[in-house]
Amino acid sequence: MTHRVGRHIFFCARLVVSAGLLAVPVVASGCSSTTSADSGTALAGGRGAQDTGTYPNLNIRPTAAAPQFTEEQKAAKLAELHAAQRRQGAKAGAGGGSSVAMTTLARKHGDDTLKAIEGKCEPIDPACN
């Protein structure tokens, strides 16, 4: 009987301590709030949107942030990209193999792996049946 009473007391004490630890961040967050008076001074200081009392003129063309490519630069970049594309296409076609062999490998790969996992044959043995 004493064991049950002690277990009940320690369980309740643990709940009270846990609730207290969870309540600390909630109570502390109440101390870090801001008011609308604080945010008004930040806007007046030059940060954020400001009302100038006028509408923006959308008919003015924006200025470019960087100089634009010339036609020669554009042609050079496109030639460079096409050359890289041809190099990558040649690599992919050389090692691809036939599609029939790849399909056969895909069908047999799962069965071969399962046999190797179950220990019916050696994992590296290509003649595993």
Side-chain angles (χ1 to χ4, degrees):
M1 178 160 164
T2 308
H3 178 69
R4 259 189 287 153
V5 171
R7 185 173 50 173
H8 180 70
I9 290 172
F10 282 118
F11 177 75
C12 291
R14 188 173 60 183
L15 283 177
V16 169
V17 169
S18 298
L21 288 175
L22 291 174
V24 169
V26 173
V27 172
S29 68
C31 298
S32 64
S33 64
T34 59
T35 62
S36 60
D38 293 338
S39 62
T41 57
L43 289 178
R47 295 183 182 151
Q50 295 179 357
D51 185 12
T52 60
T54 61
Y55 291 104
N57 187 355
L58 301 177
N59 296 322
I60 300 173
R61 292 187 63 110
T63 58
Q68 302 298 308
F69 280 157
T70 63
E71 288 299 320
E72 294 82 23
Q73 290 172 330
K74 176 183 167 184
K77 290 286 184 185
L78 283 175
E80 185 180 330
L81 287 173
H82 288 302
Q85 185 180 22
R86 283 191 298 273
R87 283 192 311 268
Q88 288 177 354
K91 289 179 185 175
S98 68
S99 62
V100 175
M102 297 302 273
T103 305
T104 305
L105 176 66
R107 286 188 186 137
K108 291 183 63 181
H109 183 69
D111 295 333
D112 293 345
T113 305
L114 187 60
K115 286 178 186 176
I117 290 171
E118 291 174 347
K120 293 182 180 176
C121 62
E122 292 297 319
I124 303 177
D125 186 14
C128 178
N129 291 324

